[in-house]
Amino acid sequence: MARSAQQQPSAGREKAEMSSEHTPLLQHVPVDERRERYSNARLRRMCTIGLITIPFLTLAIVAVCVLLAGESDLFGDDPESSIESATDYLPHPAWPAGNGLYYAELKDILLSTPSAAKAREWSQYYTAGPHLAGKNLSQAEWTRDRWEEWGVKSHVVDYEVYINYPVSHRLALLDGERIAFEATLEEDVLEDDPTTGLEDRIPVFHGYSASGNVTAQYVYANYGTYADFQALVDAGIALEGKIAFVKYGGIFRGLKVKRAEDLGMIGVVIYSDPGDDGDITEENGYKPYPAGPARNPSAVQRGSVEYLSIGPGDPTTIGYPSKPGVPRQPTEGKIPVIPSLPVSYAEALPFLRALNGLGSNATSIWPKHSGGLGYKNVSYSIGPSPPGVTINLVNTQEYVTTPLWNTIGIINGSIANEVVIIGNHRDAWIAGGAADPNSGSASLNEVIRSFGVALSKGWKPQRTIVFASWDGEEYGLIGSTEWVEEYIPWLSDAAVAYINVDVGAIGPDFAVAAAPLLNKAIMDVALQVPSPNQTIAGQTVGSLWNGHISTMGSGSDFTAFQDFAGVPSINVEFSGSPGGNLPGGSGEVKGVYHYHSNYDSFAWMDKYGDPGFLYHETIAKIIALLAAKLSEEPVISFNAVDYAAGLERYLGHLRDGVKELLDSTVTEAELVIETAKILAPLTRAIADFRDHATALDSWADFVDSATAGTSPPSIHLRSKLYTSVHAVNTAYKRLERDFLYAPGLDSRTWFKHVVFAPGIWTGYAGATFPGVWEALEYGDEKWTAEERKKQVKRWVGICADAMAKAGEGIKAT
């Protein structure tokens, strides 16, 4: 899965760019200028921060003095100071130093062990044959066995899930009783790419698609977004009873089907348009893969059409794990009831050409419309097709309840209730999956092999590290979601962070999406890892990175951790602009990424995606160092002020949205005042949260300084220091959890986080303060303006309460 539409602000809210579904899991959140609430706000804030921070700093300074003096009280006159209490506790005798290895020694191992050659070897294994969800037990066991060989205790965990497999399909263009064109729904077998000709290659289909045999007129609907369909409705184009013909891109494919279904349409066909491939197209003179880097015209994007933004995981067990014997829920409202099929652009051409001259041109409905098939005699007319020109869409699926398998590895740490989790999914829609997900799988193996080297030298982590190779991600994040739902009590108590890698390496651009708590950590790590693409000696990934860290959306396995369990999460990858001119190691142009196609293969990766596998090696080093940083450093490398800054940015976007809700007949000044009133509870709560966050970070810095560069002489003194460190870490650890709202979002109760969720009509790309935005933009169509305002105020209050809870939680520390 692993991809999202990028976001940009438009008319006061963030809208999905019409680019492609294989752009990074990122959402651009520009920084708004901060607006003070009143003239003396700055002075008030400085005083508040001082009053909160000074007691913490005083205690911290005292603690540092005590430790440096080697005394148990400030003046050294406590007669009991040399007596070690029976209750003294340290995670291990050498704390705060590393257990078995110094931290610097561990980092040296993690930077020197990952190997491009080894990553290439693992990639060859994972891409050698089909490994569809629920059909890859041998890979799960092979993965377990490799991890065990490297010293990491591992096992396979199974869940019984409800999924579908393809039986048969048909897509035909009919002119009356005559078959004008019948699609093969096959990708070309390529002599230069062995996996494309496997006899057991997987047919083109959509996961969780509905079976059906429908024949109807059809309409071209651009990307099939909510806005695209609404534009057709507003233009008076009848959609009910027709089939939608849409492009991939902009939003998650399942929501294209959902909106068509909501409007009474009876089927959906989705194709990949080369207009979304940037400069590298046949029209621009590039040869298609395998002769050149352009998209192969027969490439088909498979994928899930589960309603991912309503609730991921097994649609029959939303909210609890799919174990044998559990009750099963109905699937209505979670997966489509109308059939859908994916098709290549080569086989989309006859259908698009048949609409030429019929109805409005696309640019009259969507002024910014663009397509890449004009040179192939496609005018992008809307239609509908005439009554006698129809599509026959046949989709036959077998639905089963079947096991799928997660491989879980554990390195037990010294601190029982602090855990760092690292995951990647293993299943793919096709035999290859060299980029998605197995560039991540190969790199994760190198992470684990590197930690295995450290284990062989006597190292044991401060915090427990859990590794996961998830199954079923492609259908709807199933393996990770079921695992989180099963272990939610333990995760709520112990989880520090979740690190996700999906598509690990398809280009030279380092891309990050993260909860704001993790911004500081990833910036530090990126500056320590050498870049594979150095134009000046000594350049690091961090020095070449633009530093942009995006908010969390969905589309990969971090979703359940971030949005359901409140575990701060991060997704890292090396990506590239779709079809952009990407310089490879030898200066060649890299190729268009064939997302979810048979051409996402080892041969493609070896020639175009990551020749030499140096970016596989580099992402492994980044993940390993980040895991070490989060597991080894005495004070967790979080930053609460970064979170406060993010909340202030998100609040700025809300201001514009609320203004649009209000009566446009009033003056601008009145709009500003009324908007401020509506958002006042949240504005105050975020301001207070920033004050407490500043105090916590300051306290954490002082406590952290006490653990560095000193070796306290007694267990008793170090135990006291550990007590302070543990208190700071507990505050950081529970902060994200305080942003959970138990009843969940109104229309999708599985999502509990009040700050982050995938956009309800984007699916991949993220929404901030989603409850407020849904009340603003969607909600009940029957609401009056006053009723909508009431719901906005309600959600502003819910979010403000969460901010206050989080602020009080870190203040209480």
Side-chain angles (χ1 to χ4, degrees), residues 584-598:
S586 59
E588 75 276 13
V589 174
K590 290 200 171 188
V592 169
Y593 169 38
H594 292 80
Y595 177 55
H596 288 183
S597 158
N598 274 344

Side-chain angles (χ1 to χ4, degrees), residues 376-419:
K376 294 281 191 181
N377 190 32
V378 172
S379 68
Y380 292 100
S381 296
I382 301 297
S385 63
V389 178
T390 58
I391 287 177
N392 176 225
L393 189 164
V394 180
N395 186 48
T396 306
Q397 300 291 319
E398 178 189 17
Y399 272 86
V400 297
T401 299
T402 185
L404 57 71
W405 303 278
N406 296 332
T407 300
I408 306 294
I410 301 172
I411 305 176
N412 285 312
S414 302
I415 304 172
N417 68 338
E418 294 179 6
V419 179

Side-chain angles (χ1 to χ4, degrees), residues 162 208 261 306-307 310 314-318 328-337 399:
Y162 181 74
Y208 286 121
E261 180 183 304
E306 182 181 25
Y307 301 158
I310 303 301
D314 184 334
T316 68
T317 63
I318 298 292
R328 299 283 169 170
Q329 305 166 11
T331 60
E332 283 77 12
K334 302 166 190 173
I335 61 176
V337 297
Y399 272 86

Side-chain angles (χ1 to χ4, degrees), residues 444-726:
L444 180 60
N445 277 0
E446 283 302 278
V447 171
I448 297 172
R449 192 173 68 84
S450 299
F451 277 117
V453 172
L455 288 170
S456 71
K457 296 181 181 295
W459 168 76
K460 181 179 181 179
Q462 309 269 37
R463 302 179 180 93
T464 293
I465 304 176
V466 174
F467 302 100
S469 174
W470 309 114
D471 194 5
E473 189 270 359
E474 292 293 3
Y475 275 83
L477 323 179
I478 300 177
S480 57
T481 298
E482 303 311 312
W483 191 82
V484 168
E485 289 173 345
E486 180 174 12
Y487 292 103
I488 187 68
W490 172 66
L491 291 168
S492 297
D493 174 65
V496 170
Y498 174 69
I499 303 168
N500 192 68
V501 59
D502 195 321
V503 178
I506 54 168
D509 301 328
F510 186 51
V512 179
L517 281 174
L518 287 155
N519 290 1
K520 173 183 172 183
I522 189 59
M523 287 181 171
D524 178 62
V525 165
L527 289 169
Q528 298 179 53
V529 178
S531 171
N533 187 28
Q534 297 184 21
T535 55
I536 300 172
Q539 286 179 314
T540 64
V541 172
S543 65
L544 295 175
W545 175 35
N546 64 12
H548 177 73
I549 299 176
S550 301
T551 58
M552 305 302 285
S554 186
S556 197
D557 289 305
F558 56 76
T559 303
F561 289 93
Q562 183 76 45
D563 297 338
F564 185 78
V567 178
S569 301
I570 184 169
N571 186 83
V572 293
E573 64 180 57
F574 280 103
S575 64
S577 301
N581 291 303
L582 306 177
S586 59
E588 75 276 13
V589 174
K590 290 200 171 188
V592 169
Y593 169 38
H594 292 80
Y595 177 55
H596 288 183
S597 158
N598 274 344
Y599 308 129
D600 180 10
S601 62
F602 180 82
W604 178 87
M605 180 64 72
D606 209 26
K607 185 174 183 179
Y608 293 110
D610 185 17
F613 284 74
L614 293 176
Y615 284 96
H616 284 67
E617 175 186 312
T618 304
I619 199 70
K621 291 176 180 178
I622 289 170
I623 295 164
L625 279 194
L626 181 59
K629 185 176 186 66
L630 294 172
S631 66
E632 289 299 285
E633 293 184 1
V635 175
I636 299 171
S637 188
F638 282 173
N639 190 279
V641 170
D642 283 346
Y643 218 131
L647 295 172
E648 289 164 349
R649 291 196 299 272
Y650 313 149
L651 180 64
H653 303 315
L654 277 184
R655 289 192 183 100
D656 294 331
V658 171
K659 279 184 184 179
E660 290 188 16
L661 170 67
L662 301 176
D663 185 355
S664 60
T665 62
V666 301
T667 66
E668 177 66 21
E670 290 171 322
L671 278 176
V672 170
I673 292 170
E674 181 64 16
T675 298
K677 286 181 180 178
I678 291 173
L679 294 177
L682 186 54
T683 304
R684 287 193 298 269
I686 292 174
D688 291 342
F689 176 82
R690 174 178 272 277
D691 293 342
H692 298 314
T694 301
L696 175 61
D697 286 349
S698 297
W699 183 32
D701 288 343
F702 271 90
V703 172
D704 188 51
S705 69
T707 70
T710 182
S711 180
S714 76
I715 292 177
H716 184 61
L717 294 178
R718 283 186 290 141
S719 179
K720 287 184 175 295
L721 176 58
Y722 176 70
T723 299
S724 295
V725 168
H726 185 68

Side-chain angles (χ1 to χ4, degrees), residues 2-70:
R3 319 265 33 102
S4 82
Q6 292 185 342
Q7 297 276 290
Q8 62 179 2
S10 175
R13 60 178 66 88
E14 293 163 332
K15 295 292 188 184
E17 293 178 358
M18 298 298 101
S19 53
S20 79
E21 286 196 339
H22 48 80
T23 50
L25 280 168
L26 309 179
Q27 174 187 355
H28 295 292
V29 184
V31 179
D32 287 358
E33 181 178 353
R34 186 141 179 247
R35 306 173 190 176
E36 300 294 350
R37 285 175 292 145
Y38 34 76
S39 59
N40 64 341
R42 189 178 302 279
L43 177 61
R44 173 187 177 275
R45 180 160 310 255
M46 292 174 63
C47 293
T48 302
I49 292 172
L51 289 171
I52 294 173
T53 306
I54 288 171
F56 287 147
L57 298 187
T58 302
L59 290 173
I61 291 169
V62 168
V64 172
C65 292
V66 166
L67 292 168
L68 294 177

